[in-house]
Amino acid sequence: MSNFDLRALLQYVPQFRGRCFVVCFSQELMAGDDWRDATLDLAALQGLGVNLVVAGPAGDFERLYEQLIRLDLKVAKVTAESRVSAVTVLSRGQAAVVPYEGGIFSSQMVELSLEVKATKLIWLLSADLPLGSSVALHAVPAGSPMPVTDQPELMDLAAKACRAGVRRVHLLDARSPNVILAELFSNEGVGVMIYSDAYRELSQLSEEDIPELLSLIGRSVYDALLLDRSYEDIAQRLEEYHVLKVDGNVVGCVAVHPYPADKLAEIACLRIKDNHEGLGYGRSLVKHAEAVAKRAGYEKVFALSQSAADFFRNRANYEEWTRDKLPPERRDLLERSGRSSAVFVKS
């Protein structure tokens, strides 16, 4: 919880209030004691106004129900004997506690999620993530081919749930404390998410996002790693700035400054928010900027950097350039700044 971005956390609270989440405890998780920690997160979610459907394996159903009662959750059983539906229980302001048969991979949880119009289906596992994948998994679009993991049935079922109407499916290793809250109240989360809605967006900067951009680049400007820019400077060249948003939060930015007389465009103001590095966001922003320059008809792009030389040279496949090849006005600005930036170019 201590690593949460407070602004991101506060953004999610009103988004989640009144929504329905289906939370499913796996049989393997219920075999130990770690599952009890996750129920504390459920109490917090209900306190924030989230409508909950909690599902557990039939053999452990009573233990799960008793734990929720002991935590003072407002709950009701939804079984064949109770003769009440999950929808009815939710309408009363209670969490519906449901037993499931046939293992966590059955389609029962998907059908239940659609019945209650859940926006999230959360599977609590007792397994290391990212489920044996050879690549780092965090957010996977449901419309893309599912990555190869050691739990292909679960990944395919998650994608099926999203295609059927559940916005997001979260796969979590529930042996870690506060795992549900850490996943839901941070931009990046701690598990694997399969999604069908807008999650990651690259777009032109809007004026309302200028303060967020200035906050994002502020430390780098102070450390003389980026040029200083005022609100007015950015507003006058708004169309040249682009941002990467995750769940509506700005986590990265880049600018494309044109030099028409030289048929060149500069990729500038590249910055990733702290605690969001290492996720490929820098590469995504640079590729987006390159595409913007290409659509505008520029033959080459260049970048000046003190701190990201290794990135441009080894990961973005740029070549080193000499200062004398820069557009005259950009070269003069660089000389006046006194900065020792390296120059990179890409056709």
Side-chain angles (χ1 to χ4, degrees):
M1 299 288 287
S2 60
N3 293 328
F4 284 174
D5 181 334
L6 182 59
R7 283 177 293 184
L9 188 152
L10 294 176
Q11 177 205 20
Y12 286 119
V13 171
Q15 288 182 9
F16 290 164
R17 187 175 293 119
R19 301 289 187 178
C20 180
F21 300 168
V22 174
V23 182
C24 185
F25 289 74
S26 71
Q27 192 163 6
E28 293 76 14
L29 179 63
M30 295 291 294
D33 290 324
D34 295 324
W35 64 273
R36 296 182 186 276
D37 287 333
T39 61
L40 300 174
D41 289 1
L42 298 183
L45 288 175
Q46 189 175 73
L48 292 173
V50 176
N51 299 320
L52 295 171
V53 176
V54 184
D60 298 293
F61 173 72
E62 290 297 336
R63 281 200 303 146
L64 179 58
Y65 180 75
E66 179 186 356
Q67 171 72 1
L68 299 177
I69 288 290
R70 291 185 180 278
L71 292 176
D72 296 327
L73 268 78
K74 301 187 289 288
V75 296
K77 294 180 181 178
V78 177
T79 63
E81 293 77 18
S82 67
R83 296 182 180 180
V84 65
S85 70
V87 174
T88 299
V89 169
L90 292 172
S91 70
R92 297 170 178 171
Q94 297 173 296
V97 189
V98 182
Y100 67 80
E101 302 281 355
I104 197 171
F105 301 115
S106 73
S107 60
Q108 180 185 351
M109 290 301 99
V110 177
E111 295 166 0
L112 177 61
S113 300
L114 296 175
E115 177 188 345
V116 298
K117 296 181 171 59
T119 56
K120 292 184 182 293
L121 171 55
I122 301 168
W123 272 310
L124 300 180
L125 311 173
S126 180
D128 293 328
L129 298 175
L131 305 174
S133 171
S134 60
V135 297
L137 294 181
H138 166 59
V140 182
S144 67
M146 289 296 103
V148 177
T149 74
D150 59 10
Q151 301 246 20
E153 302 96 338
L154 189 53
M155 294 293 289
D156 289 342
L157 191 59
K160 176 184 176 183
C162 287
R163 290 193 292 267
V166 181
R167 293 183 187 176
R168 298 184 182 180
V169 177
H170 301 263
L171 311 178
L172 306 180
D173 182 354
R175 295 172 297 179
S176 302
N178 300 124
V179 67
I180 301 177
L181 298 182
E183 171 73 3
L184 300 185
F185 289 96
S186 61
N187 292 154
E188 307 305 334
V190 296
V192 177
M193 179 181 71
I194 296 86
Y195 64 97
S196 60
D197 59 353
Y199 169 68
R200 189 178 299 164
E201 178 188 13
L202 267 164
S203 61
Q204 185 177 304
L205 180 71
S206 63
E207 189 163 356
E208 65 183 16
D209 287 325
I210 295 178
E212 188 74 15
L213 185 145
L214 289 170
S215 173
L216 178 63
I217 68 174
R219 185 183 301 177
S220 294
V221 170
Y222 186 81
D223 293 338
L225 298 176
L226 288 178
L227 289 175
D228 193 8
R229 294 165 171 84
S230 69
Y231 187 104
E232 291 72 23
D233 292 335
I234 296 172
Q236 289 174 4
R237 307 173 72 176
L238 197 64
E239 72 284 355
E240 297 177 16
Y241 288 85
H242 304 262
V243 289
L244 172 63
K245 292 184 178 182
V246 173
D247 263 353
N249 291 303
V250 175
V251 300
C253 62
V254 71
V256 182
H257 299 317
Y259 292 89
D262 300 273
K263 297 183 179 179
L264 291 171
E266 178 185 7
I267 294 180
C269 198
L270 178 63
R271 178 77 170 90
I272 305 299
K273 197 172 188 178
D274 290 345
N275 301 320
H276 292 71
E277 300 93 342
L279 296 168
Y281 292 167
R283 188 188 296 270
S284 295
L285 282 162
V286 168
K287 286 188 175 296
H288 176 75
E290 291 170 356
V292 169
K294 185 176 181 178
R295 286 196 299 270
Y298 293 102
E299 298 176 354
K300 292 181 179 180
V301 292
F302 69 91
L304 284 70
S305 179
Q306 289 179 292
S307 59
D310 179 70
F311 169 81
F312 282 106
R313 184 186 298 113
N314 298 323
R315 284 183 278 170
N317 298 318
Y318 278 61
E319 298 177 2
E320 292 196 50
W321 229 23
T322 56
R323 293 188 174 197
D324 61 290
K325 294 181 179 179
L326 291 172
E329 62 268 41
R330 186 65 182 93
R331 185 173 62 250
D332 292 343
L333 179 61
L334 177 59
E335 297 295 341
R336 290 198 306 271
S337 73
R339 301 168 71 206
S340 57
S341 301
V343 182
F344 300 90
V345 67
K346 187 176 185 179
S347 296

